[in-house]
Amino acid sequence: MELFKNVRLKIGKRILDKKLVRTKRKVFYSNISLVKKIGIVWDASSPEDFPSLSRFHLKMNEKNIEVKILGYFPGKELPNQYTAIRYLTCLRKQEINFFYQPVSSESEMFINTRFDILIDINFKKIFPLQFITSLSNAGLKTGLFDSESTEYPFDLMMEIKNPVDIDNYLSQIVQYLEMINSGTEKTTIEK
């Protein structure tokens, strides 16, 4: 049992809120044909979801779209299927500070990368992943709609019934992004 978990989490959320006030981000998206980079934030505690992410990576790679996945794995040792994969980086507990904020160079680099699209696959609302999604410099952030939440870091939300099938979720996101076409130039919104 972690000492003062709720207090530490509240302080972590307060620190995140202060960072968000100081952060400016330009929201942009035009159409899927102009996308070059997709970032995915993923709860890696479910290894059975990994094949879906691999299939998505291959599908996007065929379209010359680079996919980078940042996962959070709460265990001490990563499963073998998560190692030696160029497009996957997993954070572990030792890379999270006292207030549940990621402190690794990989998470900082992921936050600062200007992805065309960021896809959030953090259905359990794990705070280190929420932190990364909220501060991400991505052009368009997509995630799951939650009727119980009042704070959303997303620009596009999907409402899908539980349990969420990762393959279906990713294909729905791509389908909706294909429907959005704001012209040949990227649309920019100050946020």
Side-chain angles (χ1 to χ4, degrees), residues 50 54 68 80-89:
F50 186 68
S54 292
K68 180 75 176 149
N80 287 338
Q81 69 191 55
Y82 293 173
T83 58
I85 298 174
R86 289 184 182 188
Y87 61 89
L88 173 67
T89 303

Side-chain angles (χ1 to χ4, degrees), residues 1-12 93 97-100:
M1 187 171 182
E2 294 185 13
L3 186 63
F4 304 112
K5 181 178 180 177
N6 289 338
V7 173
R8 292 167 47 203
L9 197 53
K10 274 187 178 180
I11 293 170
K93 274 188 174 181
N97 72 13
F98 189 71
F99 300 113
Y100 300 101

Side-chain angles (χ1 to χ4, degrees), residues 116-175:
D116 296 308
I117 301 167
L118 179 79
I119 300 173
D120 183 270
I121 305 178
N122 178 22
F123 306 141
K124 295 178 188 169
K125 300 180 197 126
I126 297 168
F127 183 70
L129 295 177
Q130 288 178 319
F131 184 90
I132 291 167
T133 298
S134 297
L135 291 177
S136 172
N137 198 24
L140 184 77
K141 298 179 188 181
T142 63
L144 201 59
F145 175 76
D146 179 10
S147 60
E148 296 173 13
S149 183
T150 58
E151 297 177 19
Y152 298 104
F154 309 122
D155 308 307
L156 175 68
M157 291 184 279
M158 306 294 297
E159 187 170 15
I160 299 176
K161 293 179 182 174
N162 285 327
V164 178
D165 174 66
I166 302 294
D167 283 313
N168 181 44
Y169 175 67
L170 291 170
S171 67
Q172 290 288 318
I173 287 174
V174 170
Q175 181 181 349

Side-chain angles (χ1 to χ4, degrees), residues 2 8 17 30 37 105 110 138 151 154 179 183:
E2 294 185 13
R8 292 167 47 203
D17 289 342
S30 58
K37 278 186 181 182
S105 59
F110 192 90
E151 297 177 19
F154 309 122
M179 285 192 252

Side-chain angles (χ1 to χ4, degrees), residues 32 35-36 58-65 174 178:
I32 196 82
V35 170
K36 297 292 176 210
L58 286 173
K59 184 178 174 185
M60 293 299 109
N61 204 28
E62 290 171 1
K63 296 180 180 185
N64 293 320
I65 298 174
V174 170
E178 287 172 345

